[in-house]
Amino acid sequence: MSTITPAGSSVPAVPAVLVLNEAQVRRLLPQDRVLEATRQALIAHTAGAVSQPAPWHLEVTGPEGSRQGEVHVKGAHLHGAPHYAVKLATGFYGNRAHGLPVSGGLSVVADAATGHPVLIALDNGYLTDVRTGAAGALATHALARADARRVALIGPGAQAEHQLRALLRLRRPAELVLHGRDRSRAEAFADRARALHPWRVTVAADAEKAVRGADIVLTVTPSQQPVVHGEWLGPGTHITAVGADMEGKRELDASVLRRAVLVAADDPDQCRRTGELQHAAQAGIAGSQRIEALGHILAGRSPGRRSATEITVADLTGLGAQDSAVATLLAAQALQGEGNQAASD
């Protein structure tokens, strides 16, 4: 990599920083490699092979205290990796009305030996989206019954499409039933979903109609009120919830957690603070479920589902380890010559 030395200065030369935009990042990171990087990050995290601080969250308020948006900062270093990364991700839900993406963000990748930044990914939240989709798919594949055929999706937005794309690399379900508050957006999403896979895709009038009879339930919303209730779930249902990632958010009613035999958490302690598990304590049902780290299940150190009738939940709050693993993969792709062409596009 080239270096930069200020003219007439005795300051030591430092490496130049490669800057990639979203289109370049997308070309450099195929989904299958993101799945494996995410799997390894989850396993490394539960094995204690990651240096990772607690996430930093900021809620941005608008007029009269309204909820305007949210900001998340996460980072980590996977022990032995050549780079570490810090990620800033945002979600401003009023952006849609202005024709702007809801999600945004960037990642900074630095050399683990020197600390110097080597790459900035102006990815508009793509790295967060793709690693979240990968984590959801890995959890669903590990915990859902082998014969699961019907998927229910609540919250058909941009992240939901990443969830489906990743899941379809691991499973081949026969049916998708989805529900969103905006019927026209849900119908448009259904059209895109039909193009992904030869399955039957329908839009349900409400969440209950989508969830009843489903083998797999995916919740992908920023909700602060439950969108799925336990009485809607049949024996053997698996739920992957990815929306709750800060205090106050929730997608699952306490009745879901009460019926769940197993909750697989990307980080059990973090989920108790910011995920669905924070509400288990509030509802007085903490300890009624078997709580396992998802990384242990993926590594085969925990059995996960033990019967075809168990109701299981994956509580995913997002880990800095995932961000660092995916950003490190991006740096490897970009800095080994593949990024030189991308950077000149």
Side-chain angles (χ1 to χ4, degrees):
M1 176 177 288
S2 62
T3 59
I4 299 176
T5 304
S9 171
S10 60
V11 176
V14 296
V17 178
L18 179 64
V19 179
L20 301 178
N21 62 30
E22 180 182 355
Q24 293 162 344
V25 170
R26 286 176 178 267
R27 284 197 294 271
L28 287 167
L29 276 187
Q31 179 72 64
D32 55 346
R33 298 197 67 183
V34 173
L35 276 166
E36 180 56 23
T38 302
R39 188 179 76 86
Q40 292 296 337
L42 288 161
I43 292 172
H45 174 68
T46 54
V50 175
S51 297
Q52 175 182 286
W56 184 84
H57 305 291
L58 170 67
E59 186 168 75
V60 180
T61 57
E64 300 179 358
S66 62
R67 186 177 173 218
Q68 186 121 329
E70 59 195 58
V71 181
H72 306 268
V73 178
K74 297 179 179 180
H77 176 239
L78 278 69
H79 297 172
H83 300 98
Y84 66 89
V86 178
K87 183 276 300 280
L88 180 148
T90 63
F92 281 70
Y93 300 98
N95 284 2
R96 191 176 292 117
H98 304 291
L100 298 172
V102 168
S103 298
L106 59 86
S107 293
V108 179
V109 185
D111 190 304
T114 67
H116 287 295
V118 296
L119 185 149
I120 299 174
L122 303 174
D123 63 297
N124 294 321
Y126 173 74
L127 292 179
T128 298
D129 285 344
V130 75
R131 66 82 158 149
T132 303
L138 289 165
T140 301
H141 182 55
L143 294 169
R145 302 191 322 269
D147 64 349
R149 293 175 55 80
R150 179 175 175 176
V151 177
L153 171 68
I154 310 300
Q159 173 53 221
E161 189 164 339
H162 286 284
Q163 292 289 325
L164 294 184
R165 287 182 179 275
L167 180 61
L168 290 172
R169 288 190 169 272
L170 303 174
R171 292 287 187 112
R172 310 303 287 176
E175 184 178 2
L176 172 68
V177 185
L178 61 95
H179 171 71
R181 292 180 299 175
D182 186 321
R183 179 77 186 208
S184 62
R185 291 185 65 240
E187 293 285 2
F189 185 95
D191 289 338
R192 296 195 299 275
R194 292 183 185 102
L196 297 178
H197 177 61
W199 51 0
R200 182 172 179 262
V201 179
T202 57
V203 177
D206 56 48
E208 181 176 357
K209 288 184 173 63
V211 170
R212 284 195 181 273
D215 304 307
I216 294 169
V217 178
L218 308 178
T219 60
V220 196
T221 78
S223 181
Q224 293 184 323
Q225 299 296 327
V227 297
V228 174
H229 294 264
E231 60 266 27
W232 303 348
L233 306 174
T237 305
H238 169 72
I239 306 98
T240 292
V242 304
D245 58 1
M246 60 191 302
E247 289 184 14
K249 283 189 176 182
R250 68 183 307 182
E251 298 184 294
L252 308 182
D253 185 72
S255 57
V256 174
L257 297 177
R258 189 173 288 109
R259 294 193 63 192
V261 174
L262 166 68
V263 177
D266 50 11
D267 182 314
D269 290 336
Q270 184 170 296
C271 288
R272 290 185 182 100
R273 294 192 301 270
T274 62
E276 295 297 336
L277 286 176
Q278 69 182 291
H279 306 292
Q282 295 166 7
I285 56 173
S288 63
Q289 318 86 5
R290 178 167 58 98
I291 299 173
E292 297 277 0
L294 176 58
H296 287 320
I297 296 171
L298 296 177
R301 295 192 291 267
S302 174
R305 172 180 291 278
R306 291 173 173 169
S307 78
T309 59
E310 287 185 342
I311 291 176
T312 58
V313 171
D315 187 5
L316 306 182
T317 52
L319 304 180
Q322 297 164 233
D323 296 307
S324 187
V326 174
T328 295
L329 174 60
L330 173 65
Q333 295 286 97
L335 300 176
Q336 290 175 4
E338 295 185 54
N340 294 334
Q341 179 61 43
S344 65
D345 289 349

